Amino acid sequence: MKITLVGTGYVGLVTGACLADTGNQVFCLDLDAAKVRALNEGRIPIYEPGLEAVVKRNRAAGRIVFSTDVAASVAHGVLQCIAVGTPPGEDGSADLQHVLAAARAVGRHMDGYRVIVDKSTVPVGTADRVRAAVAQELGARGARHAFSVVSNPEFLKEGAAVEDFMRPDRIIVGSDDERATQLVRELYAPFQRNHDRLMLMSVRSAELTKYAANAMLATRISFMNELANLAERLGADIEEVRRGIGSDPRIGYHFLYAGGGYGGSCFPKDVKALQRSAQEAGAPLGVLAAVERANEAQKRVLGTKIRARFGNDLSGRCFAVWGLAFKPNTDDLREAPSLSLIADLLAAGAAVRAYDPAARHEARALFRHEPRVAIADSALECLSGCDALAIVTEWQEFRSPDFAELRRRLATPAIFDGRNLYEPAAAAALGFEYFPIGRPA
């Protein structure tokens, strides 16, 4: 099939590369000429395991191209997949200007039947606005081409996006047009040969499903974090509690780990946008307002623990931070809990030395004007001259470090573990002051 992807951000690039890998001819459109040039030179703008190899082999095979030519992109594929950003507005609502601009471009240039596939995360009712935008452009030039609008939200986890796309647990399709539905079924057939994973529903249900999924996961995270804080007060161990409730098949073990709060490009934005949609519909979601408040508070927990140990005035002290990205296997710093911790440490007068296996370049750019923040090139280098260590992201290389070397390099053998990577008793036996989340210190 010939497919057009509008937007070469996280969703668009992964989707385009994986579709090309099954033999499709994919045209990736982006209006950012510098990004398109980089992609055509083989440089990938995001860190995502396995993605570079997929893009490279499909570029070499001629199955994926990157361009800024809007007219050519609309002419290329019957399926026009919109995967542009929907950043939050000041009121928390999703900004649809890029989605609607892409829809208008299709209406302006289409010369026959097209299916506009919304892959961007958008509020309920966006398909109606996309349909109106295309119809308006067709009317302006007196054209009468048929078209359909389908909702096909993505469910890709950063750090495992290629695997998620190639082996999806579900494919949500919102469509009220049989012709469009069949085209989308054909598109996804190679990814569900084992059994049918495609769930057909109304367009509005598909739009809501994406928000509901992310909101549910965010809720589990915030609930476990609040339980962890309670466990500390009551002398319980949140890890034991996690195993106890996770064994219930109605609950399960996923997303039950306590930590320093959620971040990234999806959960914070989608929780806000769903709340905004609910308010506009006259049915506010009080649970999500609590989830958001709990998450913002949780991002401050590590800083609070550090000040409780070293005092409110941290002037003259330096703290090592392991993990900057909001989760492992990505370089994404958006809404990352590490940024809240660093801000708290700086506000208390401290300096910071930080390390992340993937996000060093992004972090150096972010903190280039902050002389008290240094980005190290290795985990051990990060420790030099530091009073204590804070762990924010659970990268694999942090799970079994050289503890003797940690003790040697740190002025105070103290670990503030925002991901509960180590057993408290084992850390204490090695001579560390150990401050986990929701576990007896």
Side-chain angles (χ1 to χ4, degrees):
M1 298 178 71
K2 289 186 175 182
I3 304 150
T4 294
L5 261 295
V6 182
T8 59
Y10 188 84
V11 175
L13 188 55
V14 172
T15 300
C18 292
L19 289 175
D21 213 40
T22 56
N24 296 294
Q25 296 294 319
V26 178
F27 189 113
C28 288
L29 172 75
D30 203 294
L31 301 184
D32 185 337
K35 182 187 289 188
V36 168
R37 183 166 56 253
L39 287 165
N40 282 324
E41 292 171 355
R43 290 182 281 120
I44 306 300
I46 59 175
Y47 178 85
E48 180 61 39
L51 179 60
E52 184 174 1
V54 179
V55 173
K56 182 178 180 180
R57 67 172 170 260
N58 284 286
R59 280 187 66 250
R63 288 191 296 266
I64 189 168
V65 297
F66 303 98
S67 175
T68 59
D69 190 334
V70 176
S73 73
V74 178
H76 177 80
V78 170
L79 291 175
Q80 299 277 316
C81 302
I82 298 177
V84 297
T86 54
E90 291 185 3
D91 61 357
S93 62
D95 185 346
L96 297 178
Q97 62 173 316
H98 302 301
V99 171
L100 297 178
R104 285 192 289 270
V106 175
R108 195 175 302 126
H109 296 285
M110 60 189 284
D111 58 0
Y113 179 70
R114 294 292 184 274
V115 179
I116 296 93
V117 182
D118 284 335
K119 292 201 69 67
S120 300
T121 301
V122 294
V124 175
T126 298
D128 295 335
R129 297 182 64 182
V130 167
R131 189 175 291 109
V134 175
Q136 183 179 27
E137 290 294 333
L138 287 173
R141 61 190 181 97
R144 297 176 62 85
H145 302 301
F147 69 94
S148 300
V149 179
V150 169
S151 176
N152 175 220
E154 54 81 22
F155 294 92
L156 307 177
K157 299 186 295 292
E158 289 195 41
V162 173
E163 178 70 14
D164 284 348
F165 196 98
M166 294 298 195
R167 295 175 177 82
D169 47 20
R170 81 282 208 199
I171 300 166
I172 302 297
V173 176
S175 174
D176 55 10
D177 178 79
E178 182 59 29
R179 183 179 179 186
T181 301
Q182 287 305 118
L183 285 170
V184 175
R185 284 191 182 278
E186 181 182 344
L187 177 68
Y188 283 112
F191 304 99
Q192 48 176 341
R193 298 188 66 183
N194 190 341
H195 64 274
D196 188 4
R197 296 177 174 87
L198 192 146
M199 299 182 185
L200 182 64
M201 59 185 69
S202 71
V203 173
R204 285 180 170 246
S205 294
E207 291 171 334
L208 182 56
T209 295
K210 170 62 177 180
Y211 277 125
N214 280 353
M216 177 66 78
L217 296 175
T219 299
R220 286 171 71 100
I221 293 171
S222 281
F223 181 65
M224 285 304 294
N225 283 336
E226 292 220 300
L227 276 185
N229 298 335
L230 177 62
E232 284 191 22
R233 297 289 187 95
L234 299 179
D237 187 331
I238 195 62
E239 276 297 293
E240 295 174 350
V241 174
R242 179 187 66 81
R243 292 194 294 271
I245 64 176
S247 62
D248 185 329
R250 297 170 300 175
I251 298 172
Y253 291 102
H254 295 296
F255 280 78
L256 291 186
Y257 289 93
Y262 61 76
S265 63
C266 294
F267 287 6
K269 173 176 70 71
D270 293 352
V271 166
K272 288 180 184 296
L274 184 54
Q275 287 185 83
R276 180 66 181 179
S277 293
Q279 289 168 357
E280 291 176 349
L285 299 173
V287 169
L288 284 191
V291 166
E292 192 172 29
R293 287 195 303 271
N295 189 60
E296 290 307 307
Q298 196 68 19
K299 289 182 177 182
R300 306 294 177 182
V301 166
L302 276 186
T304 299
K305 288 176 179 286
I306 290 172
R307 291 194 302 275
R309 168 60 179 81
F310 288 97
N312 288 326
D313 184 1
L314 301 178
S315 300
R317 294 191 181 275
C318 183
F319 293 91
V321 174
W322 278 3
L324 294 169
F326 84 95
K327 64 182 291 188
N329 297 318
T330 182
D331 59 358
D332 196 342
L333 295 174
R334 287 173 289 184
E335 303 278 349
S338 63
L339 304 185
S340 297
L341 172 61
I342 291 172
D344 285 353
L345 294 174
L346 294 177
V352 172
R353 288 178 62 82
Y355 167 71
D356 189 281
R360 296 191 298 280
H361 176 74
E362 288 72 14
R364 286 184 177 120
L366 182 63
F367 292 109
R368 63 187 181 279
H369 299 308
E370 178 47 74
R372 286 186 291 154
V373 176
I375 307 302
D377 287 319
S378 74
L380 289 179
E381 177 195 334
C382 176
L383 304 174
S384 299
C386 290
D387 289 274
L389 168 65
I391 302 173
V392 187
T393 313
E394 66 276 28
W395 284 92
Q396 194 70 23
E397 67 177 87
F398 302 156
R399 294 181 182 274
S400 185
D402 184 338
F403 286 104
E405 188 64 18
L406 259 68
R407 285 202 63 191
R408 189 183 73 79
R409 293 192 180 222
L410 291 173
T412 303
I415 299 175
F416 297 84
D417 188 355
R419 299 307 308 172
N420 290 343
L421 295 185
Y422 315 130
E423 283 298 319
L430 290 169
F432 287 93
E433 296 180 49
Y434 185 61
F435 302 88
I437 302 290
R439 308 194 72 186

